[in-house]
Amino acid sequence: MRTDRGFAALLATVVIWASTFVVTKAALADLRPLTLTFLRFLVAVVVLVPLAWRQGFRPRMALRPAYLLFGLTGVALFFTLQNVGLAYTTAVSASLIHAGTPAVIAIAAVAVLGERLASRQVLGVSLAVAGSALVALAARSSASGSNPLLGNLLMAGSVLAWTAYTLQGKRLATTADPLVSTAASTLAGLLYLLPLAAWDVAAGGWPRLTAPSLGAVLYLGVAASALTLVLWNYALSLVKASVASAFINLVPIVGTGLALLTGEALSPLELVGGVLALGGVWLSTQAARPSQSPAEA
């Protein structure tokens, strides 16, 4: 049951993350990338702090070395590198690079955390990465990117940042409440984002908050940041980091499903990729389930 709760938290996280691409694109019509990132996590902090206070959170905890590093990798570096990288490279290239995230996390979890991968789990991660890559290859993009090399390097840096964040989260899950660690790390990340947002405003002027962009900021802050970071860290307390990482490959698959609901067509390559990714995640989750006796089953 604990493992199933972890899977449910990961699925909810994936669905919300998949919806953020459209929402972020709409918000960037009015807001600059660094300003949007800062406002997003400012909203997340406002939501998280009162909830985490009941669990023992205090603002000074954000200055602890563990949470400063947690906020640097999972909030400041990951989202800044990703948003700025998308300004220089194509969405297809970004998706292809991020398709390797589960494999990077799985390898790092073995090397750093000492996790052991079952043969079915290795096969599952490989299938999920391959399926996600096929979906990304099938995507169409009209932009070639102003500086693809720089953009791709920034996207690769965001993959490494999320890998570090996941490994830290797995370690903190054994000693800290997920809500407390998320609130502390988000507040720490906001401290890093403050000077970047100030520079962004100085260079481009004050943000223009329209009704759509304000709604986007609230959604990104409450659902896509506060809620999903708590769910991700909660899931890490129940399942292996390498298993949790396999669910990341469902983001482009769910995103494709949401696109179908809006009337877009599905190519054969995207269909094959989606089936491979879903099958890979299923294999990974089956390998992660604890063995049961016939009576327990």
Side-chain angles (χ1 to χ4, degrees):
M1 292 298 293
R2 285 171 54 85
T3 303
D4 289 339
R5 289 198 299 270
F7 293 160
L10 290 168
L11 283 173
T13 300
V14 164
V15 171
I16 296 173
W17 278 348
S19 69
T20 60
F21 295 104
V22 174
V23 177
T24 300
K25 183 177 180 180
L28 287 174
D30 296 322
L31 301 171
R32 294 166 66 88
L34 296 177
T35 303
L36 173 60
T37 306
F38 175 80
L39 292 176
R40 170 180 181 169
F41 284 99
L42 179 62
V43 172
V45 166
V46 171
V47 172
L48 286 169
V49 167
L51 299 175
W53 194 277
R54 300 178 181 180
Q55 306 299 323
F57 167 78
R58 296 296 181 268
R60 62 179 180 274
M61 296 174 65
L63 299 178
R64 294 179 182 176
Y67 292 126
L68 284 172
L69 184 59
F70 208 29
L72 175 64
T73 55
V75 176
L77 282 179
F78 175 73
F79 287 96
T80 298
L81 291 172
Q82 180 175 269
N83 289 347
V84 176
L86 282 170
Y88 293 102
T89 189
T90 64
V92 172
S93 296
S95 298
L96 283 171
I97 293 170
H98 272 271
T101 302
V104 175
I105 293 178
I107 294 171
V110 172
V112 178
L113 300 179
E115 292 186 1
R116 299 181 63 182
L117 301 180
S119 56
R120 282 198 301 175
Q121 191 176 342
V122 174
L123 177 60
V125 170
S126 301
L127 287 176
V129 171
S132 182
L134 284 177
V135 172
L137 280 172
R140 293 175 174 84
S141 176
S142 58
S144 59
S146 59
N147 192 335
L149 177 59
L150 175 60
N152 291 342
L153 288 174
L154 291 173
M155 298 305 298
S158 70
V159 170
L160 296 178
W162 189 256
T163 299
Y165 178 79
T166 299
L167 298 183
Q168 291 170 262
K170 184 61 180 176
R171 285 179 168 175
L172 285 174
T174 61
T175 59
D177 180 87
L179 185 57
V180 172
S181 62
T182 303
S185 61
T186 303
L187 180 57
L190 196 65
L191 298 178
Y192 294 110
L193 292 172
L194 179 58
L196 296 177
W199 176 83
D200 206 26
V201 170
W206 289 98
R208 183 173 64 92
L209 279 175
T210 62
S213 61
L214 179 59
V217 168
L218 291 176
Y219 177 79
L220 291 172
V222 177
S225 298
L227 178 60
T228 54
L229 288 177
V230 171
L231 289 175
W232 180 263
N233 290 321
Y234 170 73
L236 287 175
S237 69
L238 303 176
V239 303
K240 290 182 177 181
S242 54
V243 174
S245 68
F247 280 78
I248 296 175
N249 278 307
L250 292 181
V251 172
I253 310 306
V254 176
T256 300
L258 294 176
L260 289 175
L261 294 178
T262 64
E264 293 188 10
L266 180 67
S267 71
L269 192 59
E270 288 173 318
L271 179 60
V272 173
V275 172
L276 283 176
L278 290 172
V281 172
W282 180 82
L283 278 176
S284 297
T285 57
Q286 293 303 307
R289 292 181 184 276
S291 59
Q292 294 178 311
S293 67
E296 290 171 332

